[in-house]
Amino acid sequence: MVALTPFALKDAPALIEAVYPAQKISFEAQKERKANLGQTLTGLGSYWKGRKPLILVRSIVLGTLLPQTEDTERDLEIFEMLMGFDIESLAKRAFIKNTIKPAEIAARIYLHNPWDYFTHNVKITELKFKEIDDLEFPVNSDALGLKLRWRRDIEEREKLEIYRQYLNSIDGYEEKASLCKRPEEVDQEWLYAHIWPVVNQYYQIYGINAQSHQELTEQLGQLRYGHRPKVADTFSGGGSIPFEAARLGCDVYASDLNPIALMLTWGAMNVIGASPERKQEIEAAQKKVADIVDQEITALGIEHDQHGNRAKSYLYCLETKCPETGWMVPMSPSWVISKLKNVIAKLVPNHTLKRFDIEVISNASTADMKEADKGTIRDGALIYELDGKVYRTPIKTLRGDYKDTDGNTKNRLRLWGKEDFAPRPDDIFQERLYAIHWITKETLNLSRQETFFSGVSEEDLKRESQVSDIVCQNITTWQESGKIPDMFIDDGKETARLKRERGWSYWHHLFNARQLLMYALYFKHSTPEDYIFNAKTLDWNARIANWMIHWEKTNNVFYNQAMNTFYNYGIRCFTSHEAGRSFGFSNSKIPDVTVKIKNHEASALAEQNDIYITDPPYADAVHYHEITEYFIAWLRKNPPKPFDEWTWDSRRALAIKGSGDDFRKGMVDAYKAMADHMPDNGMQCVMFTHQDTGVWSDMIGIFWASGLQVVGAWYIATETSTELKKGGYVQGTVILMLRKRPAGENAGFKQRLLPAVRAEVKRQIETMMHLNDEVKDKLSEPVFNDSDLQMAGYAAALKVLTSYTHIGGEDVTSFALRPRTKGEVTVVDEIVQQAAEAANSLLVPEGLSADTWQKINGIQRFYLRMMDIETTGASKLDNYQNFAKAFRVEDYARVMGNMAANKAQLKRIPEFASRDLTDSTEIGATWLGHLIIGMQQILDEKEPQSVISQLQADLPDFMEVRPMLIEILAFIEHKAPEKTTRDAAEVLGARLKNMRALGQ
């Protein structure tokens, strides 16, 4: 046995610099995302957006620690085993999921003695038992009348062997893995038991002898750094990076300027990552708090009716006086309360009081449900019918919108004061309880409760008044003691609407009297875990949490990033509120490692770490400071240990956000601090979502000034189609790997840089494509897709550029930090763009020659490249966005038939309108544009010869370009999804081939 020698891998290249199974990690990352609340850390609070998938973090840590060897293909195989991607691991993951049916197995794989594994029932009498015994799979068991099920006495190893065979019969990793549990959902010791003999043998030259990921991590750390690896994240956010690094066996350092983010990081380590014994203690403490609050609420009698039923939810709506009639009109975009039970609220005119009574009707008819769904708020106006006449008043009129002397839009809503928690009698918008969701007395203590909806009785209104009186009497004391907020709402992108649309100026205005009372009771008990519990429930119980008629409960406030003000809303009473405080503990114990959590900006780092993995806030769609202030308002006054050591303020001025000169300077300060506190053989991973080459240019400048050099880049599709990613946001993450730039001066000039960049791009992509070919021959699927190869082009440019200290005679730090003028194109912008073009010139779609590819322009390359990609089923919008930018397409949307995030596709040839193909459009004047017109004419049964004649007339160099036109048509003939287009391309291409002389 070779002894493990500290620092033996001190200078060895990391595996992630050369090999990374990006496609498989992309699929697993999205699978984790789609688990929604089934994700390990979202139980802490799904309000914190942008957590990177744990499987992605694990892959980066392992890829950074593992060494490259001379056998790249085998390196990849070992890496995939450690990630749980190999066929044996997939079989185990499928075994645990247990969704593959015996009939599906019977239809796909050969089994000589199937009855060793299955039992059956026979329904077709013509089938003899002897014939059944002699059956050899695969068979269509349904057609034979066989109802198959697993034998009860089948052993685990036998079943796993069947699963292996079945999964091997399926093409593509995604199809296999979709039948499996995620790796972290399976018992880790059992899942990985088979890999350790293989891993240990492969790395025996280094003295590796591990039986778990934690042991392997410890040993690799010794080999590289002389100790267990120290992983740091100075933008820790929701804590996924430090949590997964710790779970893998690393010492971790996590810091963030934002105390809410840091609280979630602490919770990841100390709640989700707690030992089973500690989790029992937390759950017991949680139950104790709940019992106390329950007793106090019950004693007050504010949630029970006279029959002993208990309220689950209360539904409220705004109410306002109509300027035309003087009637008070309830406001709601829909009066449907429950689609599950066909419950509606019906407005009944009360002429005596000049207002509407609200009746709650259960088991409403289809017609009544449809009528109720109209609501009284439509198209930005209050609309209602009274005595056969319809009245309509714009909301802006009700609100009294006007322009001040500076042209700013204002209104006549009263700004609520510090002690307000409900509208005053003369406010424009009043508030009204209109329905209650009850749990029946008989089922209160049962796991399956029976519920019903009712209207509001006089007794209910008395209980409402009692709650208001309690809050009114205590609000000042509660605010002073920190049980409820007294913090003013600062203006921001989203917070400004709270004042503009409702007049709310303090954070407690976002909660009504019942909510304030319940939170005040909970906040009497402030253990660290309770703080996280309470923060989580603040996301589900507020005036800005809308009522969901399909679920019969409130939505969470931060289901998207808008602080929406609703005309009607629901609140959760104790029973449903308490259900939201559950963390859903998973088996995620953090091993015995060192964990440090600090509240400071990234540039204040003062401790040495080996590996930095960061997800900085570049061009972020999430306004974290506003989310932070929503929670800080509640948590800032009496934080328990260790939270009392932190600064409970959003510190907007210090936060790195947005883009531009201040952003670059803040990022340089952060990354220089990390580089200064990293050994010479340390590594950094920077994740960010890129949208254009300007982002890359900024990042180059930041790394230059920080003394870092890019050594690799990968593209991972991490996001699913969510509200967060609607609009123009791409759905992928770029993984940049960096090391310290070697000491010394290294000057470069544009004329020398460009050839060096092109050469590096060519070397990088050819190396990756060679590995693709080798793996594809064995596994029938490549390692890298087009996005990975495209990223390699950017990475090659960054690798070359960031190795220099001077560009064109200018110090790179000065270059990086000098202010930019709008629209300025720097030498870096040019080089990055040329790197992208060099990469794409090498990625010639199968079926086109390199010569034709070089001669067509960006929009043609884009259309043909994406047509090729669509044949593989890749229809994510980010693919189109990435390639449009790489090919410098001005407006790729003009050639798109669908822009949905996960259903994106090109316009089909027949779908192009004549206006899309004029000479003034980007594609219209190109060879491809003329061919699209020609194919449409063939589809319209125009004589082929006249189509050829038109092409000759429209293309002055027709005879010269004819071979390329034929090649493009042949490509479309093989790639177009619809047969009619393929046939048209074949006809037109054949005519062009058979031309014997000009004019024929």
Side-chain angles (χ1 to χ4, degrees):
M1 177 67 71
V2 177
L4 190 146
T5 306
F7 298 107
L9 293 175
K10 181 175 180 293
D11 300 316
L15 185 59
I16 199 168
E17 295 177 66
V19 174
Y20 189 66
Q23 290 187 68
K24 294 179 180 179
I25 290 165
S26 291
F27 176 78
E28 294 287 356
Q30 290 195 36
K31 188 177 175 72
E32 183 178 326
R33 277 279 191 260
K34 290 173 183 175
N36 296 322
L37 297 180
Q39 297 175 73
T40 299
L41 298 185
T42 50
L44 292 171
S46 59
Y47 56 84
W48 197 265
K49 309 301 178 183
R51 286 186 180 100
K52 286 296 177 277
L54 298 175
I55 193 79
L56 172 61
V57 178
R58 173 167 290 228
S59 69
I60 292 168
V61 174
L62 285 173
T64 303
L65 291 172
L66 291 168
Q68 295 179 34
T69 75
E70 294 180 357
D71 190 342
T72 305
E73 188 179 342
R74 185 66 170 153
D75 285 348
L76 177 65
E77 185 180 335
I78 295 295
F79 189 30
E80 292 188 352
M81 291 178 74
L82 287 164
M83 292 298 300
F85 299 168
D86 60 296
I87 192 64
E88 179 72 21
S89 296
L90 287 172
K92 290 180 178 180
R93 290 165 55 187
F95 177 87
I96 295 300
K97 190 167 186 180
N98 195 31
T99 57
I100 302 173
K101 297 176 181 177
E104 295 168 339
I105 294 172
R108 290 193 72 100
I109 67 172
Y110 168 80
L111 288 174
H112 180 62
N113 294 312
W115 312 125
D116 290 345
Y117 314 106
F118 302 112
T119 60
H120 58 81
N121 292 325
V122 182
K123 291 193 175 179
I124 298 179
T125 55
E126 289 81 357
L127 197 64
K128 297 178 182 177
F129 284 100
K130 186 176 186 307
E131 291 173 337
I132 294 173
D133 293 337
D134 292 341
L135 275 180
E136 291 186 357
F137 286 28
V139 295
N140 186 331
S141 58
D142 290 337
L144 294 174
L146 291 174
K147 303 299 179 183
L148 299 176
R149 61 180 180 272
W150 290 104
R151 283 180 54 155
R152 292 183 178 179
D153 60 348
I154 186 173
E155 294 185 10
E156 180 184 285
R157 60 177 178 78
E158 295 176 310
K159 200 169 183 178
L160 283 173
E161 174 57 32
I162 299 294
Y163 275 125
R164 275 195 298 274
Q165 292 183 48
Y166 180 80
L167 293 173
N168 273 326
S169 73
I170 298 173
D171 292 331
Y173 181 82
E174 292 190 10
E175 288 74 15
K176 292 182 176 75
S178 65
L179 301 170
C180 305
K181 286 281 192 181
R182 307 197 314 273
E184 68 168 330
E185 294 180 289
V186 181
D187 179 82
Q188 300 293 282
E189 184 177 349
W190 176 74
L191 176 61
Y192 294 107
H194 67 281
I195 76 167
W196 299 117
V198 181
V199 171
N200 291 335
Q201 183 178 16
Y202 189 62
Y203 293 124
Q204 64 180 341
I205 188 174
Y206 306 118
I208 292 289
N209 184 20
Q211 298 301 318
S212 68
H213 284 84
Q214 292 73 27
E215 290 182 7
L216 179 65
T217 296
E218 172 92 30
Q219 292 170 30
L220 288 170
Q222 290 286 343
L223 289 165
R224 283 197 180 275
Y225 308 113
H227 53 249
R228 180 189 297 154
K230 298 177 182 177
V231 174
D233 178 7
T234 57
F235 298 99
S236 70
S240 62
I241 292 171
F243 173 79
E244 188 62 15
R247 195 161 64 162
L248 204 51
C250 302
D251 290 336
V252 297
Y253 182 95
S255 67
D256 204 294
L257 183 68
N258 190 316
I260 300 299
L262 216 59
M263 181 182 72
L264 293 173
T265 297
W266 185 93
M269 300 297 181
N270 293 281
V271 179
I272 302 298
S275 67
E277 296 76 23
R278 177 60 186 141
K279 285 177 180 175
Q280 287 181 359
E281 293 175 2
I282 294 171
E283 288 174 332
Q286 185 181 9
K287 186 177 185 307
K288 181 179 179 181
V289 171
D291 288 344
I292 293 171
V293 173
D294 185 24
Q295 290 168 13
E296 294 188 11
I297 289 175
T298 301
L300 289 171
I302 55 176
E303 286 189 359
H304 292 78
D305 67 8
Q306 61 271 33
H307 305 295
N309 302 313
R310 184 161 191 172
K312 186 175 183 181
S313 302
Y314 286 84
L315 277 64
Y316 298 83
C317 67
L318 296 192
E319 192 171 43
T320 193
K321 181 176 287 188
C322 173
E324 289 192 63
T325 65
W327 275 55
M328 292 297 292
V329 184
M331 305 172 74
S332 176
S334 171
W335 292 111
V336 174
I337 293 174
S338 170
K339 276 203 168 184
L340 296 174
K341 297 187 177 77
N342 287 357
V343 182
I344 63 171
K346 184 177 181 179
L347 305 189
V348 180
N350 185 325
H351 289 82
T352 303
L353 298 176
K354 294 188 73 173
R355 63 177 298 182
F356 290 87
D357 296 331
I358 302 179
E359 292 183 4
V360 172
I361 299 172
S362 297
N363 300 313
S365 67
T366 302
D368 286 343
M369 291 286 290
K370 186 175 181 180
E371 182 65 23
D373 197 38
K374 292 179 182 178
T376 50
I377 298 295
R378 282 174 266 160
D379 302 321
L382 175 70
I383 302 174
Y384 71 101
E385 184 177 341
L386 180 63
D387 299 332
K389 184 178 178 180
V390 175
Y391 296 89
R392 178 190 181 97
T393 307
I395 298 298
K396 62 182 181 181
T397 300
L398 294 170
R399 210 165 46 206
D401 286 10
Y402 67 94
K403 297 280 188 181
D404 66 12
T405 54
D406 296 324
N408 299 314
T409 299
K410 295 193 174 182
N411 60 51
R412 292 181 172 81
L413 292 180
R414 177 185 68 86
L415 281 183
W416 290 21
K418 188 176 179 180
E419 293 185 0
D420 285 325
F421 58 88
R424 293 181 185 174
D426 56 348
D427 280 344
I428 293 171
F429 294 134
Q430 296 297 304
E431 193 171 86
R432 177 176 180 178
L433 174 66
Y434 71 94
I436 305 174
H437 192 195
W438 297 99
I439 305 169
T440 63
K441 175 184 178 181
E442 294 76 17
T443 63
L444 268 176
N445 298 316
L446 302 180
S447 58
R448 189 176 182 86
Q449 296 173 331
E450 292 182 10
T451 65
F452 65 95
F453 289 90
S454 78
V456 181
S457 68
E458 287 297 324
E459 288 77 13
D460 296 324
L461 292 176
K462 288 178 183 177
R463 284 187 284 271
E464 282 290 288
S465 180
Q466 180 186 353
V467 172
S468 293
D469 289 344
I470 293 171
V471 176
C472 188
Q473 293 164 14
N474 291 280
I475 187 168
T476 301
T477 303
W478 287 346
Q479 287 178 330
E480 289 173 353
S481 63
K483 291 185 178 67
I484 66 172
D486 62 353
M487 188 169 128
F488 191 75
I489 300 173
D490 289 328
D491 283 345
K493 182 176 175 60
E494 286 299 326
T495 51
R497 72 163 61 189
L498 301 175
K499 299 176 186 177
R500 183 178 68 249
E501 297 176 6
R502 292 293 181 272
W504 296 335
S505 56
Y506 286 82
W507 284 107
H508 74 278
H509 295 157
L510 276 64
F511 304 85
N512 80 358
R514 284 187 175 276
Q515 292 167 325
L516 291 173
L517 172 57
M518 183 160 57
Y519 282 125
L521 296 176
Y522 272 111
F523 272 87
K524 286 182 183 179
H525 316 282
S526 297
T527 66
E529 294 80 15
D530 275 314
Y531 250 50
I532 305 173
F533 289 137
N534 292 335
K536 177 184 176 181
T537 55
L538 287 166
D539 183 35
W540 290 90
N541 209 0
R543 269 191 170 110
I544 58 173
N546 63 301
W547 178 255
M548 295 184 291
I549 60 177
H550 296 86
W551 283 12
E552 295 184 350
K553 62 178 70 173
T554 63
N555 200 355
N556 60 318
V557 170
F558 294 108
Y559 74 92
N560 66 11
Q561 302 317 298
M563 289 189 177
N564 297 297
T565 57
F566 297 102
Y567 293 97
N568 70 318
Y569 68 92
I571 75 160
R572 299 188 178 205
C573 300
F574 173 81
T575 53
S576 52
H577 178 91
E578 183 60 29
R581 295 175 82 237
S582 171
F583 279 164
F585 287 127
S586 59
N587 182 23
S588 302
K589 182 180 181 298
I590 297 294
D592 187 17
V593 296
T594 300
V595 176
K596 294 184 180 180
I597 300 174
K598 302 290 183 179
N599 178 216
H600 59 67
E601 62 268 40
S603 59
L605 177 71
E607 296 197 28
Q608 191 85 352
N609 298 283
D610 306 312
I611 300 166
Y612 290 89
I613 304 175
T614 52
D615 178 17
Y618 187 86
D620 222 316
V622 182
H623 299 278
Y624 286 109
H625 52 283
E626 295 184 22
I627 294 177
T628 296
E629 288 161 3
Y630 174 89
F631 294 101
I632 282 178
W634 285 91
L635 306 176
R636 67 193 180 108
K637 281 201 171 180
N638 301 303
K641 290 184 178 298
F643 304 161
D644 59 347
E645 300 170 6
W646 306 343
T647 301
W648 285 85
D649 188 281
S650 65
R651 294 190 279 185
R652 291 188 183 195
L654 292 177
I656 299 174
K657 55 184 182 292
S659 57
D661 299 335
D662 290 342
F663 165 77
R664 284 198 304 276
K665 185 178 184 307
M667 289 283 280
V668 168
D669 291 344
Y671 282 94
K672 189 173 189 310
M674 289 181 247
D676 290 344
H677 292 87
M678 182 175 81
D680 290 341
N681 69 330
M683 286 196 77
Q684 291 201 32
C685 170
V686 180
M687 308 181 196
F688 71 98
T689 300
H690 84 295
Q691 296 189 14
D692 55 43
T693 53
V695 176
W696 290 90
S697 298
D698 277 351
M699 298 307 282
I700 289 171
I702 289 162
F703 300 146
W704 261 340
S706 304
L708 295 166
Q709 179 179 3
V710 174
V711 294
W714 307 100
Y715 180 77
I716 304 296
T718 51
E719 308 300 334
T720 56
S721 179
T722 64
E723 291 291 333
L724 175 63
K725 293 298 175 184
K726 279 187 177 178
Y729 302 109
V730 299
Q731 292 183 294
T733 296
V734 176
I735 308 298
L736 287 178
M737 302 307 302
L738 305 101
R739 290 188 180 274
K740 282 188 175 182
R741 186 168 58 240
E745 299 291 312
N746 186 12
F749 296 88
K750 180 179 176 181
Q751 294 82 351
R752 295 180 182 176
L753 280 171
L754 284 174
V757 167
R758 290 194 190 101
E760 180 62 24
V761 169
K762 187 172 186 293
R763 185 201 67 77
Q764 179 74 29
I765 289 182
E766 287 181 347
T767 299
M768 293 169 71
M769 291 176 77
H770 176 67
L771 180 60
N772 254 6
D773 292 339
E774 288 185 342
V775 174
K776 192 173 181 180
D777 288 343
K778 292 184 178 180
L779 302 179
S780 300
E781 57 183 342
V783 181
F784 310 114
N785 62 19
D786 285 331
S787 293
D788 303 320
L789 296 168
Q790 188 186 54
M791 289 306 104
Y794 284 120
L798 268 66
K799 188 173 183 178
V800 172
L801 284 170
T802 52
S803 68
Y804 288 92
T805 56
H806 293 77
I807 298 290
E810 185 176 3
D811 174 73
V812 294
T813 301
S814 302
F815 176 88
L817 295 177
R818 68 175 169 80
R820 306 278 175 84
T821 58
K822 189 174 182 180
E824 177 186 9
V825 179
T826 69
V827 62
V828 174
D829 296 323
E830 292 180 34
I831 293 171
V832 169
Q833 185 59 52
Q834 293 211 24
E837 291 175 3
N840 284 298
S841 70
L842 295 168
L843 302 178
V844 183
E846 186 179 0
L848 290 177
S849 68
D851 182 58
T852 297
W853 188 247
Q854 294 294 336
K855 290 178 179 177
I856 60 178
N857 69 359
I859 187 65
Q860 294 178 95
R861 285 187 180 184
F862 172 79
Y863 192 87
L864 297 175
R865 159 62 65 192
M866 300 319 297
M867 180 179 276
D868 185 40
I869 288 177
E870 283 183 2
T871 63
T872 67
S875 58
K876 293 186 71 64
L877 184 60
D878 62 326
N879 274 332
Y880 298 85
Q881 292 170 323
N882 294 341
F883 279 99
K885 291 178 176 71
F887 291 129
R888 296 196 189 191
V889 176
E890 293 177 11
D891 185 8
Y892 78 101
R894 292 288 296 270
V895 298
M896 294 295 292
N898 191 332
M899 296 281 285
N902 291 308
K903 297 179 181 178
Q905 69 175 37
L906 297 168
K907 274 184 183 173
R908 305 308 185 208
I909 299 295
E911 292 176 347
F912 280 91
S914 56
R915 64 178 177 275
D916 298 325
L917 299 168
T918 65
D919 285 347
S920 63
T921 64
E922 197 172 359
I923 197 170
T926 65
W927 300 340
L928 179 58
H930 287 286
L931 290 176
I932 291 172
I933 294 172
M935 285 182 283
Q936 287 185 340
Q937 291 173 335
I938 295 292
L939 289 169
D940 290 339
E941 300 184 358
K942 191 170 183 178
E943 173 59 39
Q945 185 53 52
S946 65
V947 177
I948 297 292
S949 298
Q950 188 65 48
L951 284 171
Q952 288 177 275
D954 292 340
L955 298 173
D957 53 353
F958 174 77
M959 290 306 294
E960 181 184 341
V961 304
R962 184 171 68 102
M964 283 165 282
L965 299 179
I966 293 169
E967 191 176 316
I968 293 171
L969 286 167
F971 180 85
I972 294 172
E973 180 188 341
H974 287 92
K975 302 292 183 180
E978 65 280 357
K979 186 176 187 303
T980 52
T981 297
R982 296 196 297 271
D983 292 344
E986 181 184 14
V987 169
L988 192 55
R991 282 302 180 109
L992 284 172
K993 285 179 187 177
N994 293 333
M995 287 183 66
R996 293 186 297 276
L998 189 63
Q1000 286 190 306

